[in-house]
Amino acid sequence: MHKSILTILLIMFSFFSKGQSDLETKFSEANSAMNLRNMYQRIVWNMQPTNQYLFDQTKGEVKYTVEENDYEVIATPKFLGTFNLDDKTFLWADKNPSINKRLNDKVDSFRKTLPKKYQKDKFKSSTESNTNLLSLFSFQLNSNGFDSKRQDNTIIYYSLLDIKIFKDGNEILVIEPTNHTIQLEVSENIGLIKKFHKEKLEINKQYNEQKISSSEAFKKIEKVHLKYWLNEDPYFFPSLSWPCGFDEKLILEWKEFKIDDNRLFVMYTTDLGWTSESYAYEIDLNVSGDKRIINEY
């Protein structure tokens, strides 16, 4: 009898572990893909958390004002849900009467693909779990990217479908919902960025350990910067920081990719402890040697 119970428990444990493992794998794959799509939006129209935004549920759109580029960007959103920061609960968008039905019509079918703990109208959650859900939701919709915005004590999570970019009132670009990047199987420039980071990390470490003064550190780090950057604009000169995001141990993933106008990028995703952030360097295709970085995002 005891043997039978133990066998059943082992089978159940194996079943739930596999289910959880499968979901974690899906989250990981979706995060990897959607980080790349969000980076594309950052490159093309400077998608940033600091952009002003306005939801218009009647029109079914979210409008971003991108002051740096003098753009107005209008996207079609699909809402996933909201997170209450007071009681740490997530509420699905289709169970929220304040959200227009045309903006939450994809949620029900998505929720049904998830384990039962996620199928309640409202459940305890965290911002990390919410981002995983949003990433998977967006990936399954083949979205252009995703975003989240805080309003008072609530965070709103939504996916971005069609995106239209306007300048001076004229539509200059329409971005259809899909992947617009070409990931390269052979990564020839990731090693370049790793060398760049390693040298910057060493200077930051020396400064943090008070082995060199701030003036000496800035001279050293500027010299390293100009060793790798073709674009010598002082706007891009690095600062000193500790903990340092250039530490290889903090980097979760590297990618090398092109976009449709044959521009080349190296992207890396860093684990900051409470969240992860992705960054990218643009590489000049027509230059050889180490000095070929022309931009960063």
Side-chain angles (χ1 to χ4, degrees):
M1 174 69 82
H2 291 299
K3 232 173 161 182
S4 299
I5 293 173
L6 180 60
T7 302
I8 291 169
L9 287 172
L10 286 171
I11 291 171
M12 288 175 63
F13 178 77
S14 174
F15 173 79
F16 288 119
S17 296
K18 185 177 185 300
Q20 184 65 17
S21 175
D22 288 347
L23 184 61
E24 291 301 323
T25 299
K26 288 179 180 179
F27 283 155
S28 179
E29 291 172 350
N31 282 326
S32 179
M34 295 311 301
N35 282 344
L36 195 56
R37 297 189 187 200
N38 268 20
M39 180 57 69
Y40 177 81
Q41 304 308 325
R42 191 186 305 177
I43 291 166
V44 172
W45 57 270
N46 198 29
M47 178 182 175
Q48 297 283 357
T50 52
N51 291 332
Q52 295 180 31
Y53 69 97
L54 179 66
F55 291 122
D56 188 327
Q57 294 204 49
T58 303
K59 291 183 178 180
E61 65 183 33
V62 55
K63 182 187 295 183
Y64 296 97
T65 302
V66 188
E67 293 183 356
E68 187 173 339
N69 301 74
D70 200 23
Y71 287 162
E72 184 176 80
V73 178
I74 297 177
T76 302
K78 289 296 178 182
F79 282 51
L80 179 71
T82 54
F83 183 60
N84 187 304
L85 291 164
D86 294 332
D87 62 11
K88 303 295 187 293
T89 57
F90 181 87
L91 175 65
W92 291 107
D94 63 331
K95 303 300 180 182
N96 189 335
S98 66
I99 295 177
N100 191 304
K101 289 184 178 181
R102 67 188 291 196
L103 300 178
N104 62 29
D105 60 328
K106 302 296 184 181
V107 171
D108 185 56
S109 57
F110 171 70
R111 181 174 54 246
K112 289 174 180 175
T113 68
L114 300 172
K116 284 188 176 181
K117 72 173 186 177
Y118 295 109
Q119 295 191 22
K120 299 176 183 176
D121 294 358
K122 181 191 288 190
F123 54 89
K124 287 285 185 181
S125 190
S126 66
T127 52
E128 182 181 6
S129 295
N130 300 339
T131 301
N132 282 336
L133 288 170
L134 177 61
S135 186
L136 184 58
F137 175 66
S138 301
F139 184 60
Q140 291 186 6
L141 288 181
N142 198 26
S143 300
N144 270 316
F146 62 79
D147 203 356
S148 61
K149 294 296 180 186
R150 179 171 176 173
Q151 293 187 348
D152 300 323
N153 69 332
T154 300
I155 301 176
I156 303 167
Y157 295 90
Y158 56 99
S159 184
L160 299 170
L161 299 184
D162 300 272
I163 296 174
K164 296 180 180 180
I165 303 173
F166 297 83
K167 189 176 179 70
D168 300 325
N170 298 311
E171 184 182 288
I172 61 171
L173 182 64
V174 176
I175 307 174
E176 301 289 341
T178 190
N179 176 31
H180 296 276
T181 65
I182 304 165
Q183 191 170 340
L184 304 181
E185 296 298 325
V186 179
S187 301
E188 298 181 353
N189 295 281
I190 290 175
L192 171 78
I193 302 303
K194 285 185 175 182
K195 285 197 302 180
F196 177 43
H197 280 189
K198 186 177 180 180
E199 293 185 36
K200 287 200 292 184
L201 176 63
E202 181 57 31
I203 295 167
N204 278 285
K205 184 179 179 183
Q206 289 176 10
Y207 173 68
N208 182 63
E209 294 174 350
Q210 300 182 335
K211 293 179 179 178
I212 56 176
S213 66
S214 60
S215 60
E216 189 177 0
F218 275 116
K219 285 179 183 177
K220 282 177 173 284
I221 208 162
E222 183 178 322
K223 186 177 179 181
V224 167
H225 178 87
L226 293 174
K227 177 181 173 182
Y228 292 93
W229 275 71
L230 187 63
N231 180 354
E232 297 186 356
D233 187 341
Y235 174 83
F236 296 103
F237 283 3
S239 58
L240 299 171
S241 62
W242 199 265
C244 188
F246 307 125
D247 191 337
E248 179 71 20
K249 291 181 291 187
L250 300 178
I251 296 178
L252 301 172
E253 185 179 32
W254 291 90
K255 292 180 187 292
E256 187 164 342
F257 67 95
K258 287 184 178 181
I259 61 175
D260 43 18
D261 51 0
N262 204 33
R263 293 166 65 189
L264 176 66
F265 300 84
V266 171
M267 186 177 92
Y268 65 100
T269 302
T270 301
D271 182 3
L272 301 177
W274 66 94
T275 186
S276 62
E277 292 286 348
S278 294
Y279 307 90
Y281 294 98
E282 185 169 3
I283 310 294
D284 194 314
L285 280 164
N286 302 311
V287 176
S288 58
D290 288 344
K291 193 176 174 72
R292 57 181 189 268
I293 302 173
I294 55 176
N295 212 333
E296 66 178 337
Y297 298 89

